[in-house]
Amino acid sequence: MTRFLVIAIALTSLLSCRKINSQSQVDLLQYAETITASELKEKVSIFASDKFEGRESGETGQKKAAEYLKNQYQSLQIKGPLKGSNYFQEVPSSYFLGSSKKSENVVAFIQGSENPEEVVVISSHYDHLGVDEKGNIFNGADDDASGTMAVIEIAEAFAEAVKDGNTPKRSILFLNNTGEEKGLVGSRYYTDNPIFPLENTVANLNIDMIGRIDKQHQNNQNYLYLIGSDKLSTELHELSEKINTKYVQLELDYTYNDENDPNRFYYRSDHYNFAKNDIPIIFYFNGTHPDYHKTTDTAEKLDYQLLAKRTKLIFLTAWEIANRENRLKVNNLSKFN
């Protein structure tokens, strides 16, 4: 072996080690700290304002909301994954029972650096109940402007990491669903017509109502309900617990994860359409409150410090899933098949 070959191999090894070390030494908290209560308050106050007319699927307010989300992703320099960097996955009217109006899922995508074919989906629904016959607007601040703006803040955290050269190993799809209030329509359309193969979808983290406090936690507000984390993947549940303990220290409440819980929340938000396809999920939820599905679900009632803390947990969990050495194992196939 020549001297020059030895030097070349040594340099290659050194560069490889530096790459590995830089990835392992990423200061995740600097990106998590881009998720702030003030930004969430500003965004939720806009998204849950009368301007968007209750964001009912197929109506003018929903179209305005979709454009707002598109503009947010564009400002973060995160592209749409569809042809021509399109952000809108059209959901045809045939998917909406009793309605002839088509709608759109809003999608944005960060391609992974090492395993780009493997995709972590971070989702929320951005639709709500619209306007009633008397002209009262259902602004849906908690349901689900809180989750949708959390997705935008998580996207910003990932975008900042990418700018610094810390692109996640696996790809990230940000999926803002339409039609959740009309029967999980947008997520059902996505899983029936996936942009990326479902067999390559590693996990779905779904965020639906994380800005309020329910009556069960008036005396202990540092909490978040998690549903489904252990249903399909033991590794996902253990990872989630570990990340929370290391970084955030919320009380993770699994009350609604019980199969016998009469609320059946596991079946009532967009993660369900991923779970029934054997994709590990976590559903993040603050529980219901007196303003649930009422015109009184307004932006000033959210706890933005708590919303930011919960959002950081989801970002940090997503980061770990996207960057761990091996993709999550599914060790318990769903009962839906």
Side-chain angles (χ1 to χ4, degrees):
M1 185 180 293
T2 68
R3 178 185 177 190
F4 294 108
L5 183 57
V6 171
I7 293 172
I9 292 173
L11 286 172
T12 301
S13 176
L14 177 60
L15 290 171
S16 176
C17 288
R18 284 180 177 174
K19 181 178 180 181
I20 293 170
N21 287 338
S22 65
Q23 183 70 14
S24 64
Q25 294 172 7
V26 171
D27 180 6
L28 287 186
L29 291 181
Q30 71 173 312
Y31 303 123
E33 291 303 320
T34 67
I35 298 167
T36 66
S38 59
E39 285 189 8
L40 283 161
K41 183 176 182 179
E42 178 183 0
K43 290 181 171 72
V44 170
S45 297
I46 294 170
F47 204 66
S49 69
D50 289 353
K51 173 183 178 180
F52 295 105
E53 303 171 25
R55 308 188 304 276
E56 183 176 2
S57 297
E59 302 297 335
T60 301
Q62 176 260 305
K63 307 296 183 183
K64 291 178 181 178
E67 285 292 334
Y68 177 86
L69 294 172
K70 172 185 173 180
N71 291 337
Q72 290 293 310
Y73 289 123
Q74 286 180 328
S75 71
L76 296 172
Q77 299 182 334
I78 301 174
K79 293 183 178 181
L82 301 168
K83 185 176 181 181
S85 294
N86 185 13
Y87 294 86
F88 298 151
Q89 182 189 40
E90 186 172 302
V91 181
S93 59
S94 60
Y95 265 70
F96 292 88
L97 298 177
S99 173
S100 61
K101 294 182 178 180
K102 64 183 181 181
S103 189
E104 303 83 22
N105 292 330
V106 182
V107 286
F109 183 67
I110 293 174
Q111 182 170 300
S113 60
E114 295 184 21
N115 304 106
E117 74 285 354
E118 296 181 4
V119 181
V120 179
V121 178
I122 303 173
S123 65
S124 69
H125 73 90
Y126 74 99
D127 67 306
H128 198 50
L129 301 177
V131 184
D132 69 14
E133 65 279 359
K134 296 181 180 179
N136 298 306
I137 299 174
F138 293 80
N139 286 312
D142 192 29
D143 186 14
D144 186 29
S146 66
T148 302
M149 294 305 101
V151 172
I152 295 297
E153 286 290 292
I154 292 167
E156 179 182 352
F158 272 106
E160 289 298 318
V162 171
K163 286 180 185 178
D164 290 344
N166 296 315
T167 301
K169 293 179 181 179
R170 294 177 177 84
S171 297
I172 310 292
L173 178 69
F174 304 100
L175 172 62
N176 303 118
N177 292 298
T178 189
E180 191 270 355
E181 301 287 6
K182 295 184 182 294
L184 315 185
V185 173
S187 57
R188 178 164 60 89
Y189 184 80
Y190 179 85
T191 54
D192 287 350
N193 304 273
I195 298 171
F196 302 99
L198 294 184
E199 58 266 28
N200 291 342
T201 303
V202 174
N204 169 228
L205 305 182
N206 184 49
I207 315 169
D208 190 353
M209 298 174 56
I210 61 165
R212 295 282 295 268
I213 299 160
D214 70 359
K215 65 180 181 180
Q216 287 81 8
H217 293 87
Q218 291 298 320
N219 297 321
N220 178 21
Q221 300 179 2
N222 187 51
Y223 80 99
L224 186 59
Y225 290 110
L226 267 63
I227 302 170
S229 62
D230 63 346
K231 301 292 188 189
L232 297 169
S233 173
T234 303
E235 286 184 347
L236 176 59
H237 179 74
E238 292 173 350
L239 178 155
S240 168
E241 284 276 338
K242 189 176 297 185
I243 290 298
N244 180 62
T245 299
K246 182 176 181 179
Y247 292 110
V248 185
Q249 294 93 48
L250 284 164
E251 177 190 313
L252 302 183
D253 191 325
Y254 296 100
T255 298
Y256 297 129
N257 195 50
D258 186 342
E259 279 291 324
N260 297 315
D261 181 74
N263 294 284
R264 292 175 61 82
F265 287 125
Y266 183 64
Y267 306 92
R268 290 174 53 184
S269 191
D270 290 310
H271 58 276
Y272 168 79
N273 285 312
F274 289 89
K276 72 181 185 181
N277 284 284
D278 293 320
I279 296 166
I281 67 93
I282 302 178
F283 172 26
Y284 299 93
F285 180 52
N286 54 216
T288 57
H289 45 74
D291 299 308
Y292 174 67
H293 277 196
K294 294 182 180 178
T295 58
T296 50
D297 181 10
T298 50
E300 75 277 3
K301 295 181 179 179
L302 271 61
D303 184 326
Y304 289 99
Q305 292 292 340
L306 186 55
L307 175 55
K309 188 172 186 179
R310 291 165 170 171
T311 304
K312 288 174 184 177
L313 170 64
I314 302 165
F315 162 69
L316 292 163
T317 302
W319 181 274
E320 180 65 21
I321 295 168
N323 287 287
R324 70 198 307 266
E325 184 176 352
N326 299 311
R327 71 176 284 175
L328 292 169
K329 292 181 181 178
V330 177
N331 61 343
N332 183 24
L333 295 180
S334 78
K335 62 185 179 183
F336 306 110
N337 296 328

